[in-house]
Amino acid sequence: MLILNKTAGVFSKPSKRNMYEFLRSFNFHPGKLFLHKLVLGIETSCDDTAAAVVDETGNVLGEAIHSQTEVHLKTGGIIPPVAQQLHRENIQRIVQEALSASKVSPSELSAIATTIKPGLALSLGVGLSFSLQLVDQLKKPFIPIHHMEAHALTIRLTNKVEFPFLVLLISGGHCLLALVRGVSDFLLLGKSLDIAPGDMLDKVARRLSLIKHPECSTMSGGKAIEHLAKQGNKLHFDFKPPMQRAKNCDFSFSGLHHIIDKMIMQKEKEEGIEKGQILSSAADIAAAVQHTVACHIAKRTHRAILFCKQRDLLCQSNAVLVVSGGVASNLYIRKALEIVTNATQCTLLCPPPRLCTDNGIMIAWNGVERLRAGLGILHSTEGIRYEPKCPLGADISKEVGEAAIKVPQLKMKI
Ligand code: KG4
Ligand code: ZN
């Protein structure tokens, strides 16, 4: 039986009373029989503490999440020790809530799946050590999860999508294009050479002080930019999409970020306002930034589709492009991608917004996928470590660049 010692962040033997309460919390459905295998997923790679129980047919039986966004918004970014402390404070409650909501007792689980890579070391460590103690006490198999693999496979929980398909993952920490050939069989076509688009949007939103904007104060940077962009005119600024000459599928956002930073400084001078006050042109800047980011992402994705079709890696008609990660909830960027998929006879699929951002369901589902395929199920966890950096699949981005595919110009009328 397990109980987490909250301050130490480790399990300790529960008192009789705690034991009783713990048992009682899982004993509300005596005699219920689960016909399908059940996986508990645990996610702590960045700033969300999340857990979920999913069965092998894809039914989500219970989930819980604690988001740290509000805390990190106040400090202007994630401070890893703060994220670690918040994970420690919440992980037991979140796992317990997910299990309680699912009406599954820990002993009924078939396996525990946990994100171990990539992510913030201090955050990954909390989820991993919690999981290892759980696995040890319950004597269950452990399935280590690659966070980006989980994002990529989420679509197979919500839609009937067969391998292979193309995936674009765009979030605050990641930016990549990959061909998904199987549960753990990925070809990496391109990635960001510097920062991720969500990171850039967060930085621009911070520089524009959107947290002080009455309509955006509780939104993530990317969401605030999308919200404000609706009120702005993208034609008032002309930012050029990055890497126009590089005929590969890599991305870059930090050059664009610096250009925008300079532009904001210039506008502050023109408007005679201090850094920290909101520019009257903030909405126009947001609209132009969002448009440039959308065009850059669309162009690289277009090239990836053409490359895969040229090499017969994807079906010529009816290929699927899956877009996921926090930035995928941006409807403007989705529309830009829709223009690309319409022009290339592909189908664009996105998981629902709550499954695009970090969550426990995608980790549990990745566990189910691996359980069904018999891949990476550990019966001993000796030597298992978290990995803050970890590429996804086989990197063929050089080959993609050597193919130097010219992408036809599309009208980005969004
Ligand atoms: O996937 P996610 O929850 O966490 C990781 O980064 O792994 O993504 C969070 C990122 C943040 O950078 C946030 O600003 C961005 O996704 N984001 C958005 C939108 N909603 C969240 N970016 C653009 N438009 C949005 N609507
Ligand atoms: Zn993520």
Side-chain angles (χ1 to χ4, degrees):
M1 194 41 59
L2 42 100
I3 286 287
L4 191 84
N5 176 328
K6 211 171 170 185
T7 43
V10 293
F11 289 114
S12 60
K13 282 225 164 350
S15 67
K16 265 193 176 166
R17 188 165 166 270
N18 278 345
M19 171 94 81
Y20 169 74
E21 277 173 10
F22 188 83
L23 280 169
R24 205 178 56 157
S25 70
F26 293 111
N27 270 352
F28 35 61
H29 56 98
K32 182 161 184 187
L33 208 70
F34 291 99
L35 298 172
H36 300 291
K37 287 182 177 165
L38 306 164
V39 176
L40 167 67
I42 298 177
E43 158 67 32
T44 65
S45 68
C46 189
D47 59 347
D48 291 301
T49 317
V53 179
V54 175
D55 79 10
E56 82 191 300
T57 67
N59 280 322
V60 178
L61 302 181
E63 64 163 317
I65 186 159
H66 174 265
S67 167
Q68 305 175 359
T69 307
E70 240 177 83
V71 176
H72 299 311
L73 265 177
K74 280 188 193 128
T75 50
I78 299 172
I79 300 167
V82 174
Q84 179 190 43
Q85 183 56 27
L86 291 170
H87 283 306
R88 278 186 178 150
E89 285 171 13
N90 290 289
I91 191 158
Q92 186 199 3
R93 175 178 64 80
I94 289 300
V95 170
Q96 231 155 4
E97 274 178 26
L99 283 166
S100 300
S102 68
K103 303 199 181 339
V104 168
S105 77
S107 63
E108 289 165 316
L109 294 169
S110 311
I112 293 162
T114 302
T115 308
I116 67 150
K117 60 191 175 184
L120 297 173
L122 295 178
S123 295
L124 288 167
V126 178
L128 180 58
S129 65
F130 182 93
S131 303
L132 292 184
Q133 290 175 76
L134 203 59
V135 161
D136 187 49
Q137 292 195 23
L138 295 169
K139 305 279 176 267
K140 299 286 178 188
F142 181 57
I143 308 177
I145 299 294
H146 190 299
H147 181 83
M148 305 314 284
E149 180 181 304
H151 270 308
L153 297 178
T154 305
I155 199 70
R156 283 166 51 84
L157 170 75
T158 55
N159 298 61
K160 210 174 157 0
V161 178
E162 302 294 336
F163 300 118
F165 60 89
L166 191 65
V167 71
L168 167 70
L169 298 177
I170 38 178
S171 72
H174 303 284
C175 178
L176 62 84
L177 270 161
L179 183 73
V180 190
R181 300 195 297 186
V183 171
S184 72
D185 182 4
F186 289 70
L187 292 181
L188 185 67
L189 305 168
K191 61 179 183 323
S192 175
L193 303 177
D194 37 66
I195 57 172
D199 190 12
M200 193 211 85
L201 294 173
D202 290 341
K203 285 184 163 106
V204 172
R206 266 205 303 280
R207 185 63 186 77
L208 288 170
S209 303
L210 298 190
I211 196 162
K212 292 186 188 159
H213 193 290
E215 291 165 25
C216 310
S217 61
T218 58
M219 294 179 185
S220 68
K223 200 167 179 189
I225 296 276
E226 180 176 25
H227 179 79
L228 215 58
K230 289 183 193 135
Q231 305 160 23
N233 185 345
K234 65 185 177 216
L235 302 175
H236 283 183
F237 294 92
D238 184 23
F239 303 123
K240 294 267 172 294
M243 299 180 77
Q244 298 207 72
R245 291 221 185 108
K247 291 194 178 61
N248 55 32
C249 291
D250 288 330
F251 303 80
S252 168
F253 295 95
S254 60
L256 179 61
H257 170 227
H258 288 300
I259 290 168
I260 296 160
D261 245 13
K262 269 197 197 156
M263 174 64 77
I264 294 173
M265 207 150 47
Q266 190 187 321
K267 279 279 144 197
E268 282 170 347
K269 263 192 201 155
E270 278 174 32
E271 292 188 20
I273 66 164
E274 298 273 310
K275 189 175 176 180
Q277 290 177 281
I278 299 180
L279 282 167
S280 68
S281 49
D284 295 339
I285 296 174
V289 170
Q290 179 175 253
H291 180 71
T292 313
V293 167
C295 289
H296 180 46
I297 291 173
K299 187 85 165 197
R300 315 322 272 185
T301 307
H302 194 167
R303 181 171 288 116
I305 293 172
L306 297 179
F307 175 85
C308 288
K309 288 197 175 189
Q310 197 186 74
R311 303 282 160 112
D312 264 335
L313 294 167
L314 271 179
C315 164
Q316 294 301 327
S317 62
N318 236 348
V320 170
L321 168 69
V322 172
V323 186
S324 195
V327 180
S329 39
N330 184 295
L331 297 181
Y332 191 92
I333 294 172
R334 280 196 199 190
K335 278 189 197 148
L337 291 165
E338 226 168 66
I339 292 173
V340 171
T341 50
N342 287 341
T344 51
Q345 292 84 47
C346 291
T347 304
L348 174 67
L349 294 176
C350 302
R354 75 185 178 100
L355 294 181
C356 274
T357 52
D358 293 353
N359 63 83
I361 296 171
M362 71 180 194
I363 307 304
W365 174 247
N366 199 159
V368 168
E369 288 262 35
R370 282 184 163 267
L371 207 57
R372 293 198 304 206
L375 288 165
I377 305 149
L378 307 183
H379 295 278
S380 157
T381 55
E382 217 178 284
I384 190 106
R385 301 268 182 274
Y386 58 79
E387 295 171 57
K389 283 203 162 76
C390 181
L392 180 71
D395 188 349
I396 62 157
S397 55
K398 203 162 160 255
E399 201 181 317
V400 175
E402 281 162 5
I405 294 173
K406 197 166 176 333
V407 175
Q409 198 77 34
L410 295 178
K411 272 214 169 76
M412 282 296 163
K413 272 198 165 170
I414 306 169

